[in-house]
Amino acid sequence: MSLESEAVPPGEAVLPGTLPEELRAELVAFRRDLHMHPELGNQEFRTTAAIKARLERAGLKPRVLDMGTGLVCDIGVPDGVWSGGPRMLALRADIDGLPIPDAKTECAYRSTVPDRAHACGHDVHTTVVLGAGLVLADLHRRGLLPRPVRLLFQPAEEVLPGGAADAIECGVLDGVERILAVHCDPRVDAGRIGLRVGAITSACDRLEIALGGPGGHTARPHLTTDLVTAAARVVTDVPALIARRVDTRAGLAVTWGRIESGHASNVIPQHAELSGTVRCLDIEAWRQAPDLVVAAIDEVANLHRAKSEITYVRGVPPVVNDAGATALLRDAMTARRGAGSVESTEQSLGGEDFSWYLEHVPGAMARLGVRPPGERTVRDLHQGDFDVDESAITVGVELFTAAALVDEGV
């Protein structure tokens, strides 16, 4: 069955911008090439070059960002660079991978780079925006693109506080009226998207803690600062204290990812280190979080006579979807695949630096379903075996092209 007959009821006009089979196959191959060559944040030189080359082949004029990775490309403006006139709809992708090994042993396109993987779907996001750009450029040449569109390929999403802040400083929002994005969701079936008005992700900060004190023999802990115990109490007591000092509806959570201390079973060490994240559903509680968390850590450390050095790295606020931009995504998906292809989604505790763009212009992020329909096993994000149903690429491209065609502006 054709995409057109699936997307609209009989008798209704077919919205242009569906993917021809040849381009669909090319985009799958492009995504697999990116998947085999993941690059970390601010090191995405090969990825940037590949995107740039394909856009230039289509007659477009992409511009590499000042940082040396990532790029923007305007469609439907004179000379390929916006300099006034109607403001643009921006489509954003993130292009970096993660510092984890690819665990897909039977996959022909698994990562070829040791300890690097596209385990969050950024290769899919990149391919979707690239594919949308190629289709929209063709529509523009045919006089069918109603407003200019900016493609934004952003580096370093996985590096707090996120490459979005650097991209904004490079002027990527100049001339932009609103901005859209998708994020792979392995809990949503391919062929569907999840939408939510308001906060769809959470704030995310990073904690680095160093504890210090005189160590000694484990036979005489009373003569030492028992840093192993102190670290263990920080791990358990700080989240408990926070839970009683913030409204539980704010969802402020401290979670640890690393704890290191000591080298011998009979020696109390002089140093301990802990790392973790602070995540929060509510933006007001997020603004209070640094003072609350640091105070709780100091209280617990002092109780055990440990000196604490705390590095609180501010990350990203929640992604708060604008109602109008969310409605645009809903209308676009409905035009392509019918109302049944859109589902409501919950707010996630994951962080996303797309939130920085929404501090400046309205926009929305959709959850792009990547789970093969009927599959029970969820290959979750940030795990080495993460993969997608590649039909999601077509869905994402056609979602974005439809959004560009039906968008009437803010």
Side-chain angles (χ1 to χ4, degrees), residues 170-407:
C170 291
V172 301
L173 292 181
D174 293 348
V176 170
E177 186 173 43
R178 62 179 165 194
I179 187 168
L180 304 176
V182 294
H183 197 295
C184 290
D185 192 333
R187 299 178 186 276
V188 177
D189 284 350
R192 300 172 62 84
I193 63 169
L195 291 177
R196 176 185 177 88
V197 175
I200 194 171
T201 70
S202 301
C204 180
D205 300 334
R206 190 176 78 242
L207 272 177
E208 302 286 344
I209 305 169
L211 300 178
H217 202 294
T218 56
R220 291 174 286 279
H222 59 291
L223 302 179
T224 73
T225 293
D226 187 351
L227 285 185
V228 174
T229 297
R233 298 306 304 214
V234 168
V235 166
T236 58
D237 291 356
V238 167
L241 284 173
I242 295 298
R244 291 297 176 267
R245 295 179 180 179
V246 180
D247 189 329
T248 55
R249 292 171 295 183
L252 182 59
V254 179
T255 307
W256 308 102
R258 182 180 70 94
I259 178 169
E260 295 183 15
S261 187
H263 300 283
S265 61
N266 62 346
V267 178
I268 294 175
Q270 299 180 29
H271 303 284
E273 294 182 355
L274 303 91
S275 301
T277 59
V278 179
R279 299 180 185 271
C280 189
L281 299 173
D282 178 73
I283 195 165
E284 292 304 321
W286 177 67
R287 294 191 175 109
Q288 302 170 25
D291 291 341
L292 289 167
V293 173
V294 168
I297 293 168
D298 282 338
E299 284 183 37
V300 176
N302 290 337
L303 184 64
H304 294 274
R305 297 180 297 173
K307 296 179 180 179
S308 59
E309 294 182 7
I310 304 166
T311 302
Y312 193 108
V313 181
R314 210 59 161 135
V316 294
V319 171
V320 181
N321 280 350
D322 169 71
T326 305
L328 172 60
L329 287 168
R330 182 180 300 277
D331 291 345
M333 190 65 176
T334 299
R336 290 294 190 208
R337 303 234 160 183
S341 63
V342 180
E343 62 184 61
S344 297
T345 190
E346 298 177 346
Q347 184 180 3
S348 163
L349 275 169
E352 234 290 352
D353 73 352
F354 184 68
S355 56
W356 291 125
Y357 300 113
L358 304 188
E359 297 278 301
H360 300 272
V361 296
M365 171 175 281
R367 300 203 181 283
L368 179 65
V370 297
R371 180 178 62 190
E375 183 173 300
R376 297 296 181 183
T377 302
V378 175
R379 296 178 177 179
D380 206 1
L381 303 172
H382 288 217
Q383 293 186 359
D385 65 348
F386 176 76
D387 205 354
V388 305
D389 182 325
E390 291 176 318
S391 67
I393 296 171
T394 296
V395 176
V397 170
E398 295 186 350
L399 169 69
F400 277 161
T401 56
L405 291 170
V406 304
D407 184 19

Side-chain angles (χ1 to χ4, degrees), residues 150-169:
R150 171 167 291 165
L151 313 178
L152 167 55
F153 300 90
Q154 175 215 302
E157 190 277 331
E158 298 288 354
V159 182
L160 288 178
D166 294 329
I168 291 168
E169 288 188 8

